[in-house]
Amino acid sequence: MSKRLRQYIGILAAVLAYYVIHEGAHLIVALALSTFKGLRFMGLGVQIDIQNNVMTDPLMFLFCIAGAVATFVSAWTLVLLSRKICNSKNL
């Protein structure tokens, strides 16, 4: 496999992982709070649609911050594991 193809696959995998982690966290919180309405597909992105009229301000804050926290934690996990990832022999 060529280097350029691996780079494109890596970028595509990173974008897909971002959507799964970030929007997945929003989805989990919306399901836990029973406010999930559906998914919105917007161009290249996906958005979790909720019933925001039944949510209090603290619950809305929890819903909004969930994606950022999940992305931040997963990014730092990858940073902390980067040495092991780079030394992996399975390329």
Side-chain angles (χ1 to χ4, degrees), residues 2 8 17-18 23 28 32-33 35 37 44 47 56 67-68 71 81-82 84 87 89-91:
S2 72
Y8 284 129
Y18 168 77
E23 296 301 331
I28 290 169
L33 298 175
T35 58
K37 260 195 332 193
L44 294 176
Q47 194 174 45
T56 62
T71 305
L81 294 174
S82 64
K84 289 184 179 185
N87 290 333
K89 301 296 180 196
N90 297 329
L91 294 176

Side-chain angles (χ1 to χ4, degrees), residues 16-33:
L16 185 63
Y18 168 77
Y19 278 122
V20 168
I21 292 167
H22 184 87
E23 296 301 331
H26 288 304
L27 178 63
I28 290 169
V29 171
L31 289 172
L33 298 175

Side-chain angles (χ1 to χ4, degrees), residues 1-90:
M1 189 180 319
S2 72
K3 181 180 178 181
R4 185 164 301 264
L5 182 59
R6 283 191 315 234
Q7 289 174 336
Y8 284 129
I9 290 172
I11 290 171
L12 184 62
V15 170
L16 185 63
Y18 168 77
Y19 278 122
V20 168
I21 292 167
H22 184 87
E23 296 301 331
H26 288 304
L27 178 63
I28 290 169
V29 171
L31 289 172
L33 298 175
S34 299
T35 58
F36 177 72
K37 260 195 332 193
L39 293 175
R40 270 193 210 158
F41 294 96
M42 305 170 61
L44 294 176
V46 177
Q47 194 174 45
I48 306 299
D49 195 13
I50 58 168
Q51 300 169 355
N52 58 353
N53 56 348
V54 297
M55 294 178 73
T56 62
D57 286 342
L59 292 179
M60 183 62 83
F61 173 78
L62 180 66
F63 173 78
C64 291
I65 200 74
V69 169
T71 305
F72 184 78
V73 169
S74 62
W76 269 105
T77 302
L78 287 173
V79 167
L80 295 174
L81 294 174
S82 64
R83 189 167 284 157
K84 289 184 179 185
I85 293 169
C86 289
N87 290 333
S88 174
K89 301 296 180 196
N90 297 329

